[in-house]
Amino acid sequence: MKNMIEKDILIIGAGASGMMCAIESGKRGRSALVLDHAANIGRKIRISGGGSCNFTNTNTSHTNYLSDNPHFCKSALSRFTPRDIIALLEKHDVKYEEREQGQLFCTKSSEEIIRVLESESNNAGVNIILNCRILGVKKDDSFMVSTDQGIFGSESLVIATGGLSYPRTGASGIGYMIAKKFGLKVTELKPALVPFIFSPEDLAIFGELSGVSIDAAVKCNNIKFRGSMLFTHRGLSGPAILQVSSYWKEGDTIVIDLLPETDIYGIFIAKQQSKSKIDMHNLLSQYLPSRFAKTWCVSNIQSKPVNQYNEKELRKISHQLHNWEIKPISTEGFETAEVTLGGIDTNELSSKTMESRKVKGLYFTGEVIDVTGQLGGYNLHWAWASGFVAGQYA
């Protein structure tokens, strides 16, 4: 077509997976062009880890991911490991640090990751067009992508558009629309790693606790996570809550152990045997934030001096503390979700190449695929790994 710019490979999306794919493809001598609607590359990278970018996790394995096919991610993860992204950053003298549970962060800021991607893409001869809106995609003998900055053609097309989470960064459903246009299935899409919203009844009781944090073990559908739980003005957040939200379905109850690894029943009995007259909410304030302890006692039990409870009552209170049940009315949705659960059905793709089984030359990478990581750098690592793999073939 006249005035159409042709490249070997077009990548829609200048995030972690799209940039990694472009770099790897460029290293193979392929002419690569990245198109993105944003003004800068890596918008989601910039806000990752509170601006420090939790770029991977040393414990990464397929067990850290949710998918209708839990084995799909194995191949890519084995071919691009945490050691590989570490080596790339070390090559560019990026300093990093390990925090809890194997999470790796930039010592300075996420801008250093952006600098690495820009340097590597320049060295690989990758072209990038920003502020570029996609108007249409089709395929005859080759792919043709119409944009507000021109028409581009290519032998291979990579969709690295991310999911629906964080719409303020420009996230949209374009990747899913392109997949459906070419006849690929998309699984149910849901917000994941997202805070919960209290029911009106629970909000009336616990809404005043906004800012209170508790180290807890949170369980839903037999999946349990230990970590911080934070009360917000709308419900519950914090790492343990975000983790379990990926496993929660509407109507489910979450079960919270407020005192993991604490034998609170043994403490009750010891206090009772010493004939302690300390009020229950004051005793619990020694192990839990006092504002929460008082509110919890008001809503769950009748607080009175410990020596006035019988053994059966103390056992029941202990059980309630280790199995506090909350039934969220919903999550906060895609607006605050860190990732999207679901995506391009993995049965539609080759786990070795990320190429569509139906459409030759069409590839998908990153969050747009039905592979969703737990909190802690796993989602960004999936972006690196899937982008790397696609870049070897696209």
Side-chain angles (χ1 to χ4, degrees), residues 327-358:
K327 191 172 184 177
I329 194 168
S330 68
T331 70
E332 289 188 2
F334 287 111
E335 194 65 35
T336 58
E338 295 199 11
V339 289
T340 302
L341 187 67
I344 312 303
D345 191 326
T346 54
N347 291 320
E348 301 279 12
L349 308 176
S350 162
S351 62
K352 180 182 177 183
T353 66
M354 302 295 140
E355 185 178 17
S356 164
R357 297 185 185 279
K358 291 178 179 173

Side-chain angles (χ1 to χ4, degrees), residues 365-387:
T365 65
E367 188 182 345
V368 75
I369 302 173
D370 175 28
V371 175
T372 305
Q374 296 172 349
L375 189 70
Y378 299 109
N379 285 292
L380 201 42
H381 190 84
W382 169 246
W384 305 131
S386 57

Side-chain angles (χ1 to χ4, degrees), residues 184-223:
L184 277 67
K185 295 177 183 176
V186 177
T187 67
E188 182 185 5
L189 305 175
K190 295 171 58 180
L193 301 183
V194 60
F196 286 125
I197 294 177
F198 278 140
S199 67
E201 296 78 13
D202 286 330
L203 185 62
I205 299 168
F206 301 105
E208 295 300 315
L209 296 178
S210 180
V212 171
S213 179
I214 297 173
D215 176 33
V218 185
K219 183 169 67 174
C220 182
N221 291 317
N222 295 316
I223 305 293

Side-chain angles (χ1 to χ4, degrees), residues 190-341:
K190 295 171 58 180
L193 301 183
V194 60
F196 286 125
I197 294 177
F198 278 140
S199 67
E201 296 78 13
D202 286 330
L203 185 62
I205 299 168
F206 301 105
E208 295 300 315
L209 296 178
S210 180
V212 171
S213 179
I214 297 173
D215 176 33
V218 185
K219 183 169 67 174
C220 182
N221 291 317
N222 295 316
I223 305 293
K224 183 164 69 173
F225 293 95
R226 171 79 180 271
S228 176
M229 177 181 76
L230 176 70
F231 286 84
T232 72
H233 67 287
R234 301 178 70 189
L236 292 172
S237 187
I241 292 294
L242 298 185
Q243 292 279 36
V244 88
S245 71
S246 297
Y247 301 85
W248 179 84
K249 299 179 180 65
E250 187 174 352
D252 284 347
T253 296
I254 61 172
V255 181
I256 303 167
D257 184 347
L258 295 164
L259 295 165
E261 299 177 19
T262 298
D263 179 12
I264 196 64
Y265 178 70
I267 292 169
F268 289 163
I269 295 301
K271 289 291 182 183
Q272 189 184 60
Q273 289 174 348
S274 67
K275 296 183 169 51
S276 174
K277 295 181 180 179
I278 186 171
D279 248 37
M280 179 59 78
H281 76 261
N282 287 329
L283 174 59
L284 292 180
S285 293
Q286 296 175 15
Y287 302 91
L288 294 163
S290 58
R291 284 169 59 200
F292 172 78
K294 188 170 184 178
T295 302
W296 187 88
C297 285
V298 168
S299 65
N300 286 275
I301 64 172
Q302 181 185 357
S303 184
K304 57 187 180 182
V306 176
N307 64 349
Q308 293 183 17
Y309 293 97
N310 61 41
E311 189 174 326
K312 183 179 179 181
E313 289 173 323
L314 292 175
R315 191 176 293 279
K316 182 180 178 182
I317 294 170
S318 172
H319 178 80
Q320 287 175 286
L321 288 164
H322 288 301
N323 298 273
W324 182 42
E325 294 188 354
I326 287 289
K327 191 172 184 177
I329 194 168
S330 68
T331 70
E332 289 188 2
F334 287 111
E335 194 65 35
T336 58
E338 295 199 11
V339 289
T340 302
L341 187 67

